[in-house]
Amino acid sequence: MPEVIRIQDIARHAGEQVAIQGWLYNRTDKGKLQFLLVRDGTGFAQCVVFEKDVSPEVFEAANELTQESSLVISGVVRQDDRAPGVPGGYEIGVTDLDVLQIAEEYPIQLKEHGVDFLMDNRHLWVRSQSQWAVLRVRATVVRAIRDWLDEHDFVNMDTPIITPAACEGTSTLFETDYFGEPAYLAQSGQLYNEANIYAFGRVYCFGPTFRAEKSKTRRHLTEFWMVEPEMTFCDLDQYMEIGEQFVSYIVQTCLKERAQELELLGRDVSHLEKVAPPFPRVSYDDALEMLAEIREETEDEALRQSLAIEWGDDFGSPHETELTKRFEKPVFVYGYPTMAKAFYMEPWPGRPEVSKSADLLAPEGYGEIIGGSERISNPDLLLQRLREWNLPREAFEWYIDLRKYGSVPHSGFGLGVERTVTWICGLDHLRETISFPRMLKRVYP
Ligand code: 4AD
Ligand code: MG
């Protein structure tokens, strides 16, 4: 057998005899010619079987291949602009074919299927070209996240998944039995990182987080991946500067390294090309005014109703969607009402009803991808907040301690991987951005 190559490297082997190990994705029968679209995990390549170039047995075998049959194909790499799949146009003129298994009739054909059907078959759907493209973008997002933080002196900490208390509100906790005591799956690693920064200055945790989201939306999973950087001697402005550099790097890395995948997904990348610092910053108060204008201008009664909001409310998806349609770049909305956010946020100087918080909303209607804030550094204020939020002091003793031994201003934020990938790929729904999504009505497969 000739040297086995991977489809992603095919251009380097033009003119050579090679082998590819993979699966049949699609087949077009043109009589004496069989066009086999083969995938091997690294890409998709057209392999052309011409009756007169192969033995009758090989031609017959090619004819009988079903979708997803596993095979080893040998042939010569040639450049052809018309060849689909590989950037630059490379295909294989087949000389030999070895069939490992003829696949049973494959449930997912290359046509439109309903979402429930595809989700029930997620274990097979991940093989589809669009899913392959999305999940490769995800992998690049994850690597870009780590690269940027590691290069900027953030020390990676792994925070616990089993925790004694809530970080982001008690209504979305997954409770579990911890040897007879209640414990909860982590909603966030932030509180632990507020301890870790006092040892390392800048840290991040990056792992799965859990929220018992009881509503079915296209922006919420019950298990999602979040990266959470936390920094000492850092105020709200400094957090936003770091956030915009970080997000710009992630987006630009995807444009550079995943151009083929974004093209496969039909993503208009012109918006993404504009993602560079500085990002616009809008106060919550000004955002409310913009929303009021949008409500006045629209003829759409349903939209007008969904945008109804009063000072003090947090934004919902409709508000974020409409606001971010008006921006070309991601936008920071800062200064949310204290009561709309989590207990740990530093109040605005002179305006205790406002918090030193900022969310980053992605453009084109995508909405929140980052939530963050400056944290309370005064122990008495923190105690007051725990009381106001009805949180049990015992579970937070260690967290209060952090404010007693050299407390300093500090800030941090959390970026959701799935929301970010949804935006970069231009998808309608979060569910395609993780290989096996967990949602309100979905724990299988
Ligand atoms: O705004 P959130 O709830 O902030 C926190 O958890 C803070 N403790 C982060 C921090 O300051 N260290 O969540 C942060 C981000 C959101 O902007 C969103 O991208 C994502 O996490 N997120 C979700 N993604 C998918 N499904 C859900 N149910 C999500 N909830 C939050
Ligand atoms: Mg949030």
Side-chain angles (χ1 to χ4, degrees), residues 22-24 65-66 68-72 97-103:
W23 298 267
L24 183 76
L65 286 175
T66 54
E68 289 305 314
S69 290
S70 44
L71 44 78
V72 181
L97 167 66
D98 193 7
V99 179
L100 276 71
Q101 189 195 40
I102 292 286

Side-chain angles (χ1 to χ4, degrees), residues 168 211 314 320 341 359 368 370-372 419:
E168 295 299 323
R211 309 249 172 122
D314 201 358
E320 291 179 0
K341 291 288 184 192
D359 285 358
E368 181 187 337
I370 283 182
R419 298 255 185 106

Side-chain angles (χ1 to χ4, degrees), residues 41-58:
T42 72
F44 295 72
Q46 173 164 278
C47 304
V48 185
V49 191
F50 191 18
E51 191 171 16
K52 79 171 176 43
D53 288 346
V54 294
S55 68
E57 296 75 37
V58 164

Side-chain angles (χ1 to χ4, degrees), residues 10 35 45-48 76-80 82-84 86 89-93:
I10 197 168
F35 293 98
Q46 173 164 278
C47 304
V48 185
V76 178
V77 177
R78 56 191 184 217
Q79 201 275 329
D80 186 326
R82 294 163 304 175
V86 180
Y90 290 86
E91 62 177 25
I92 292 186

Side-chain angles (χ1 to χ4, degrees), residues 405-420:
Y405 309 106
S407 193
V408 299
H410 61 285
S411 300
F413 64 96
L415 172 126
V417 169
E418 292 78 13
R419 298 255 185 106
T420 305

Side-chain angles (χ1 to χ4, degrees), residues 327-353:
F327 291 90
E328 290 209 308
K329 286 189 192 183
V331 51
F332 278 110
V333 176
Y334 64 89
Y336 286 85
T338 304
M339 293 308 290
K341 291 288 184 192
F343 72 94
Y344 50 70
M345 294 185 178
E346 178 75 9
W348 204 270
R351 274 188 86 188
E353 72 284 8

